[in-house]
Amino acid sequence: MKRGGESAAARTAWAAAVVAATAVACGARTGLLVPEEASTGPDGGSIAPDAAEACVGTEIPLATNAPVLYFVLDASGSMAEQGKWTNMLAAIAELIDAVGAQARFGAAVFPEPNAGACTSGVEVMSVRLGDATGAASSAFLAATAFTPVGGTPTAATLRALVPELAAFPQATYAILATDGGPNCNDQLSCDADTCTSNMDGVAGCPVGGPPNCCDPAGGVGGVGCLDGPDAVDAVKALGVAGVETFVMGIPGSAPYAAVLDQLALAGGGARASEPYYYRVDTADTTALAASLAQIAAAATASCTVVLQHVPEDPGDVNVYVGGALVPRDGPNGWVLAGTKLTLEGSTCQALRSGTALTIRVTEGCATVTQ
């Protein structure tokens, strides 16, 4: 969620003893056609904004069984460094606003805040539908307004979440964001090569040792040992329950790349090539948001959507992807058959890649064709 999880000072003491997301502008949420957003399509080509300037359309709701995106966030002490915690929360809040009612959102953190360094994580925001008012993102930020501290009980937290996440009737995806390796299992023993204090190179615990800072005689003992196999088993249990897991490595997680790859592969949400987890190389909000957008797109993107009703006049329908007006014709346009809308070419790819996160359909204005 390292001994790989504490601040440098906290880890030392312990050794001694978790595009820009594309946001939709206000006009796009009110049913107004917004010419400023309509100057460029998802493929980067120019579009015709003049049609948007002369007409106000009415939004056609999409018939969607919004999936659950459930964040499982590393709140260990090292997440307080380099602005990682604050920036990650901001990026998630932006994503919640951008995706809106196209998904449901919930969150758990580990370890439990103010309950001990290795206490199993807890839910801090129950699952709720996203919205266009910012209510869901505000609830998320309020629920995570604390200072990270402690270790990384990843396996115990994921295992405890299985019953709840398995019970949701919607498609459910866990998004594990961490800056270190799982530990906090006092049943383990290990050498310096798999002691997270040594792997992190905290003061007095050089990489590879000596000393072995997980030696119970002079170090932290088994709670500091890398708990990879148990965490992989917990992710597999989520998979058996029908929950796909995506893994995002926050800066600081590089020593644990092999374990994060194993978690991503076991969770079913692996990238197509190495690294199989979503690696974030800098802790700024833009980088974090870009990876989150890719994950959200992989979980929710579909190039075919269903409208809640058949448009009164198919010639008066317009489609917006990521806030940009998409001309109907051409290889990157769209096709409407009754209530079924299919996006094509680079417009579809914009959704699948996370470059765009939203689809909006209006009626009442002449269709922009090119």
Side-chain angles (χ1 to χ4, degrees), residues 125-204:
M125 185 178 83
S126 59
V127 170
R128 65 202 62 201
L129 189 67
D131 59 87
T133 66
S137 60
S138 294
F140 170 76
L141 290 174
T144 51
F146 58 85
T147 300
V149 64
T152 315
T154 312
T157 301
L158 292 172
R159 193 179 304 109
L161 287 171
V162 172
E164 178 184 1
L165 300 190
F168 293 123
Q170 302 85 9
T172 301
Y173 304 90
I175 301 173
L176 170 65
T178 181
D179 75 338
N183 55 24
C184 285
N185 185 344
D186 61 7
Q187 301 301 305
L188 297 178
S189 62
C190 60
D191 58 24
D193 288 338
T194 53
C195 174
T196 56
S197 294
N198 291 96
M199 295 177 73
D200 291 330
V202 302

Side-chain angles (χ1 to χ4, degrees), residues 3 6-15 77 149-150:
R3 194 72 332 136
E6 308 89 327
S7 66
R11 289 196 300 260
T12 300
W14 198 22
V149 64

